[in-house]
Amino acid sequence: MASILSNWALEDRGFRTSPIKLLRALRRTTVSLTLGTDFNDALLILICSVWLGSLGLSPLPINFTSYDSPISSLLTRLRNSSYIPSTSWGYTAGAVYEEPPIFGSLTFGGYDAERIQASGISLPFWADQSRDLLVGLQSITYDTLGSAPLMTNGIYAFIDSMVAPMWLPLEVCQAFERAFGLVWNETSELYILNTTTHANLRAQNPSFSLTLGSGTSGGNTTAITLPYAAFDLNMTVGYTTEPYFPLK
């Protein structure tokens, strides 16, 4: 796992989606992979309301002002400096709810073969570079006896590791509401769980199966099954922590 240390020169580029303000950080980034290498004018993005940093993994350069001065990606710089063999990468989110915890893994220039299961499929990158990790989410079911599928009409879904909730069509969210007693909280814009609902979900402990493919139906598919523990998250505001279900 790489650690990223930066001397940040923050430059406001006018990117605003109130109340969040995005700042471009340009200066020197130190990548500690037992390499101790520095890259000048590396690009980071900060979401200043929560000080959340984003490390982009696209090999493509970024342009802010013109096409004449692109900023090379971190992976391109590592490859051009011969630290990695290619601009490919491998990422797994891990499963911290397991005992013992399974931690996430990020590999530059390849992937961790121990994390690959034989049941996987290969999917092409999407043509739109801003939504290149687009997959076909064909169905969602859960393992309670006699339960109806939560989703049967497939959609294209963008995989974004910075976002916890699943963003799904309204009718799918309503199917989750009926199945598990979820109630939408307009103030927080989350499915906050009260004590009873949270206890019921933990007692039921459903496993959710998501069928993925290159399209919204048919073709080669793979099913990813996750226990309720993967969705048993907490939202913390100040000194208050509340459980919620990551769905929007």
Side-chain angles (χ1 to χ4, degrees):
M1 181 70 74
S3 62
I4 306 299
L5 305 175
S6 298
N7 292 329
W8 302 34
L10 298 183
E11 183 179 350
D12 186 352
R13 306 301 298 180
F15 303 124
R16 290 181 174 86
T17 53
S18 181
I20 294 175
K21 179 178 179 182
L22 299 184
L23 298 177
R24 184 179 76 169
L26 278 179
R27 191 71 181 275
R28 188 186 71 178
T29 298
T30 299
V31 182
S32 177
L33 300 160
T34 70
L35 303 177
T37 187
D38 290 351
F39 295 120
N40 291 320
D41 288 339
L43 175 66
L44 298 175
I45 294 294
L46 300 178
I47 302 177
C48 293
S49 62
V50 291
W51 293 105
L52 177 65
S54 171
L55 175 65
L57 294 178
S58 171
L60 301 174
I62 298 295
N63 293 283
F64 278 99
T65 55
S66 72
Y67 290 101
D68 298 325
S69 56
I71 302 170
S72 297
S73 69
L74 174 63
L75 288 178
T76 297
R77 294 178 181 219
L78 288 171
R79 182 199 60 188
N80 291 346
S81 300
S82 301
Y83 288 118
I84 58 176
S86 71
T87 56
S88 62
W89 52 270
Y91 171 75
T92 54
V96 296
Y97 49 83
E98 296 284 359
E99 260 324 311
I102 300 173
F103 296 106
S105 170
L106 176 60
T107 303
F108 293 164
Y111 62 91
D112 184 351
E114 295 296 323
R115 303 275 183 145
I116 303 298
Q117 295 183 357
S119 59
I121 58 173
S122 296
L123 301 175
F125 284 107
W126 204 248
D128 184 349
Q129 295 175 357
S130 65
R131 291 170 57 82
D132 51 2
L133 295 180
L134 208 65
V135 300
L137 177 57
Q138 299 188 2
S139 68
I140 302 177
T141 60
Y142 66 106
D143 62 354
T144 300
L145 184 64
S147 63
L150 297 166
M151 174 179 165
T152 55
N153 296 321
I155 62 170
Y156 286 106
F158 178 58
I159 299 176
D160 186 345
S161 60
M162 289 184 63
V163 179
M166 299 182 295
W167 289 70
L168 298 174
L170 176 60
E171 60 270 20
V172 179
C173 294
Q174 292 170 337
F176 273 87
E177 292 174 3
R178 293 190 296 269
F180 305 108
L182 304 182
V183 177
W184 178 253
N185 185 296
E186 289 288 351
T187 303
S188 63
E189 296 186 345
L190 291 171
Y191 282 103
I192 302 296
L193 303 179
N194 59 37
T195 302
T196 300
T197 303
H198 191 211
N200 289 342
L201 276 166
R202 285 189 163 183
Q204 183 180 351
N205 193 28
S207 291
F208 299 90
S209 182
L210 290 73
T211 300
L212 304 178
S214 58
T216 56
S217 64
N220 292 330
T221 62
T222 187
I224 298 176
T225 300
L226 298 169
Y228 170 64
F231 301 88
D232 191 3
L233 304 182
N234 291 313
M235 177 192 69
T236 300
V237 178
Y239 296 101
T240 303
T241 298
E242 294 183 286
Y244 76 98
F245 193 92
L247 174 67
K248 286 194 172 185

